[in-house]
Amino acid sequence: MNEPGTGTTATPVEERLRAALAARAHSVGPADLRPLRPPSRPARIRSVPVRRAVVGVLALAAVAALVFFALRGGESRPAGPARSPHPPIGTPSPVPSAVSPSAARPTPSTPTPSTPGP
């Protein structure tokens, strides 16, 4: 909304809104207001049974969770290795021979590294 002294004119909607809010504010007087009623009973009395019920439900849930995990954890075993349902059929794989790296000989086409002399 436009503030007084900004130099801009208010639109008709803004003027009508200001007039309506001012009329509403002036229509309420001290005779229309009344003091609050005192509470009929303390609020803590109402909340005590609710608190007890919530604490009881939470305690039961904690006990149930402990029993569930205690019974479940005692019987668990790791799964055995996976096996095929039928024995393998086919030729056995060849056994690799033991060849040491030092026994390998260079072929004549392989160049040998030259070492510089002192």
Side-chain angles (χ1 to χ4, degrees):
M1 294 190 168
N2 295 326
E3 296 292 326
T6 58
T8 58
T9 59
T11 63
V13 173
E14 289 176 346
E15 290 175 9
R16 288 176 42 192
L17 183 60
R18 280 191 188 121
L21 290 174
R24 181 70 176 163
H26 293 297
S27 69
V28 177
D32 297 321
L33 303 175
R34 60 182 163 88
L36 293 175
R37 289 186 307 171
S40 59
R41 57 182 169 167
R44 294 196 51 85
I45 292 176
R46 286 185 225 153
S47 65
V48 171
V50 172
R51 284 184 188 167
R52 287 183 182 166
V54 168
V55 168
V57 168
L58 290 176
L60 285 175
V63 169
L66 286 174
V67 169
F68 174 75
F69 287 119
L71 292 178
R72 183 176 172 209
E75 298 176 7
S76 65
R77 294 182 188 166
R83 297 180 185 158
S84 64
H86 304 289
I89 300 174
T91 60
S93 60
V95 178
S97 62
V99 176
S100 64
S102 63
R105 296 182 190 154
T107 60
S109 63
T110 306
T112 58
S114 63
T115 57

